[in-house]
């Protein structure tokens, strides 16, 4: 691959994978079903509520009558993003779509975009477990049955959140996505406590546990209503997912011997675990984050950051999305992470393209498709 093999390179890359840019998110609350009127303080000016406009009144009729400012409308109104978004693209991979045709098609691409070089048996046995209808959707209830706007916050780990006092605003969303080294304890005022989804690759999760244990990230968030989003960046992710659902130690590979319950807790219900579709990651990369890095010698290492994948997942599943702790144009004012003990500059590594991500968030904010926390 022509990669530098210096002793420093791999640790640096590791770190980069962990910090995955600036993003990340965090921990424990419920995937709430709002079948009635919602509550919650949402009147702060300059909050995402102000940005999206007042909530529609909550009578129990159809969703679109209730959600006055869905992001799909903002997408339709924007000449550029109208041609990029396909909100019908399947986001998750579930067992029922596993056919020879899918195998043939995904075998042509390397992870995270496909299964080239991966064991058929490992993929097939993992997907056969994801056979409940809930595996195909993020929310516990089919979307059509959820009235009103589904409001999501995606919390990256960027230093912009240090001292932000956004915790209450974040927790006022229906669902909160967090990722990688999302530390909550001690940062509740700034980042909130609610967590509906935790997104990661096995690599970024384990690196976060190593690199951020000294700032309090000593365990992966767990909770009854918390769902995990596996990003299939490697065979490790499929193997860990299978072992998790089966409740057995990892039998092979890099993570051999790991007991998944130590990461995800004792509840191994299939519905708790979601897997991003490799085709969704291809679609996102091709349309939204097609970096020039792809054509360099680092091309095989490049993929959207964990935070970018979570934010784009939210944009394809929620009606309104607020992004906290993501890279902004003035990122140099802030430390790499909100939980850093001392100010550390954000460093751009070759496996992600944070400049491109920053431009994307800025443009999506300008187009009214998401609301980006800035200060
Ligand atoms: C916002 O909510 C707080 C607490 O619920 C209330 O005291 C305040 O008056 C509200 N502000 C506006 C502008 O509605
Ligand atoms: C959007 O995605 C769906 C599902 O993959 C596909 O059937 C449809 O043709 C796509 N629409 C456009 C306009 O590309
Ligand atoms: C899903 O797979 C498991 C294990 O193979 C099986 O016990 C279960 O009945 C299947 N469920 C459905 C809905 O097919
Ligand atoms: C976090 O913010 C406080 C003040 O709000 C500041 O003193 C501290 O240096 C910041 N931490 C980092 C790592 O930037």
């Amino acid at each position: 691959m022509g990669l530098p093999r210096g002793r420093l390179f791999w640790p640096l890359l590791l770190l980069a994978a962990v910090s995955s840019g600036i993003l990340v998110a965090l921990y424990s609350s419920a995937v709430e079903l709002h079948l009635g009127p919602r509550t919650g303080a949402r009147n702060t000016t300059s909050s995402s509520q102000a940005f999206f406009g007042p909530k529609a009144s909550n009578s129990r009729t159809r969703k679109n009558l209730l959600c006055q400012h869905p992001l799909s409308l903002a997408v339709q109104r924007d000449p550029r993003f109208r041609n990029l978004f396909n909100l019908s693209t399947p986001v998750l991979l579930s067992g029922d779509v596993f056919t020879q045709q899918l195998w043939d098609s995904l075998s042509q691409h390397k992870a995270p975009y496909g299964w080239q070089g991966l064991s058929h048996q490992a993929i097939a046995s993992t997907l056969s477990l994801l056979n409940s209808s809930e595996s195909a959707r993020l929310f516990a209830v089919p979307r059509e049955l959820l009235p009103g706007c589904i409001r999501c916050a995606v919390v990256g780990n960027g230093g912009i959140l240090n001292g932000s006092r956004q915790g209450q605003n974040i927790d006022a969303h229906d669902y909160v996505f967090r990722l990688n080294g999302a530390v909550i304890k001690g940062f509740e005022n700034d980042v909130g406590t609610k967590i509906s989804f935790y997104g990661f690759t096995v690599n970024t999760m384990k690196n976060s546990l190593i690199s951020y244990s000294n700032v309090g990230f000593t365990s992966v968030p767990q909770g009854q209503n918390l769902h995990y989003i596996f990003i299939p960046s490697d065979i490790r992710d499929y193997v860990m997912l299978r072992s998790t659902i089966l409740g057995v130690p990892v039998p092979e590979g890099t993570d051999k011997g790991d007991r998944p319950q130590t990461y995800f807790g004792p509840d191994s219900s299939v519905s708790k675990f979601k897997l991003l579709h490799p085709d969704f990651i291809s679609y996102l990369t091709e349309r939204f984050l097609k970096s020039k890095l792809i054509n360099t010698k680092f091309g095989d290492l490049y993929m959207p950051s964990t935070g970018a994948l979570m934010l784009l997942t939210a944009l394809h599943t929620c009606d309104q999305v607020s992004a906290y702790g993501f890279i902004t144009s003035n990122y140099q004012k802030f430390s790499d992470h909100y939980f850093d003990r001392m100010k550390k500059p954000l460093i751009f590594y070759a496996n992600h393209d944070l400049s491109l991500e920053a431009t994307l968030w800025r443009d999506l904010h300008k187009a009214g498709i998401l609301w980006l926390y800035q200060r």
Side-chain angles (χ1 to χ4, degrees):
M1 279 196 296
L3 294 171
R5 303 257 173 212
R7 287 189 165 270
L8 252 178
F9 179 76
W10 290 109
L12 281 179
L13 192 64
L14 243 156
L15 242 185
V18 170
S19 32
S20 269
I22 350 195
L23 324 177
V24 187
L26 117 111
Y27 141 59
S28 122
S29 127
V31 172
E32 296 161 53
L33 296 183
H34 287 281
L35 296 169
R38 311 221 179 130
T39 54
R42 289 173 187 160
N43 64 354
T44 327
T45 36
S46 94
S47 76
S48 57
Q49 185 59 32
F51 175 84
F52 290 127
K55 280 189 83 68
S57 65
N58 280 289
S59 59
R60 301 183 186 198
T61 52
R62 288 208 46 219
K63 143 208 168 196
N64 285 337
L65 297 176
L66 292 165
C67 191
Q68 290 181 342
H69 302 278
L71 65 90
S72 56
L73 213 61
V75 166
Q76 279 318 309
R77 286 186 182 136
D78 188 273
R80 172 177 164 222
F81 286 118
R82 183 165 57 215
N83 293 318
L84 294 183
F85 274 90
N86 180 349
L87 293 170
S88 311
T89 303
V91 170
L92 300 176
L93 185 57
S94 56
D96 52 326
V97 298
F98 187 58
T99 57
Q100 184 63 37
Q101 193 190 0
L102 186 70
W103 173 261
D104 292 344
S105 139
L106 287 178
S107 293
Q108 296 176 24
H109 310 280
K110 289 190 187 143
Y113 311 109
W115 299 331
Q116 196 176 91
L118 305 190
S119 138
H120 182 279
Q121 193 272 335
I123 302 287
S125 58
T126 303
L127 294 189
S128 72
L129 298 171
L130 298 175
N131 60 354
S132 89
S133 56
E134 286 185 39
S135 295
R137 57 176 192 254
L138 213 48
F139 305 124
V141 164
R143 182 62 190 87
E144 312 77 73
L145 300 181
L146 291 171
C149 290
I150 295 186
R151 300 180 67 245
C152 298
V154 187
V155 186
N157 294 336
I160 191 171
L161 286 175
N162 176 33
S164 68
R165 310 190 70 78
Q166 293 302 304
Q168 282 192 347
N169 291 338
I170 289 169
D171 287 350
H173 290 74
D174 301 317
Y175 298 94
V176 179
F177 292 68
R178 302 182 194 254
L179 52 127
N180 292 345
V183 190
I184 298 206
K185 200 162 183 304
F187 300 93
E188 295 86 348
N189 282 342
D190 290 341
V191 305
T193 59
K194 184 170 182 167
I195 176 165
S196 322
F197 298 100
Y198 173 79
F200 62 99
T201 72
V202 171
N203 186 49
T204 63
M205 173 187 80
K206 290 177 73 168
N207 286 342
S208 298
L209 287 169
I210 294 166
S211 305
Y212 308 136
S213 62
N214 64 335
V215 289
F217 192 72
T218 52
S219 61
V220 173
Q222 295 179 8
Q224 203 190 352
N225 294 302
L226 167 52
H227 292 70
Y228 296 99
I229 303 180
F230 281 69
I231 298 169
S233 69
D234 191 282
I235 191 66
R236 291 172 72 183
D237 300 296
Y238 294 96
V239 172
M240 179 68 78
L241 176 54
R242 182 185 60 193
S243 306
T244 303
I245 295 170
L246 294 175
V248 300
V250 177
E252 61 194 345
T254 316
D255 307 300
K256 185 171 177 177
D258 280 12
R259 291 169 55 250
Q261 314 91 284
T262 59
Y263 302 123
F264 311 115
D267 178 4
S268 62
S269 325
V270 176
S271 59
K272 237 179 142 56
F273 304 96
K274 315 290 181 184
L275 178 63
L276 282 194
H277 200 308
D279 279 340
F280 181 60
I281 302 176
S282 298
Y283 150 88
L284 296 180
T285 305
E286 177 66 27
R287 300 205 189 183
F288 297 94
L289 290 168
K290 193 168 185 176
S291 172
K292 292 194 174 75
L293 290 169
I294 292 170
N295 299 316
T296 69
K297 63 181 176 183
F298 302 111
D300 282 351
L301 287 177
Y302 172 78
M303 66 181 279
S305 69
T306 309
L309 291 173
M310 287 304 105
L311 185 44
L312 287 160
T313 293
L315 287 168
H316 285 76
T317 46
C318 309
D319 294 311
Q320 297 181 346
V321 173
S322 311
Y324 295 87
F326 280 75
I327 186 167
T328 52
S329 54
N330 61 345
Y331 70 89
Q332 286 172 324
K333 276 174 65 179
F334 312 107
S335 191
D336 187 354
H337 302 112
Y338 64 79
F339 47 72
D340 292 334
R341 289 255 162 80
M342 288 200 306
K343 188 171 174 187
K344 284 196 292 195
L346 171 67
I347 298 174
F348 291 61
Y349 294 98
N351 59 335
H352 301 313
D353 190 339
L354 299 182
S355 312
L356 186 60
E357 293 184 5
T359 307
L360 178 61
W361 313 143
R362 183 200 65 196
D363 293 349
L364 287 166
H365 176 87
K366 276 191 194 154
I369 295 167
L370 60 67
W371 178 83
L372 177 65
Y373 173 69
Q374 300 175 77
R375 60 199 273 228

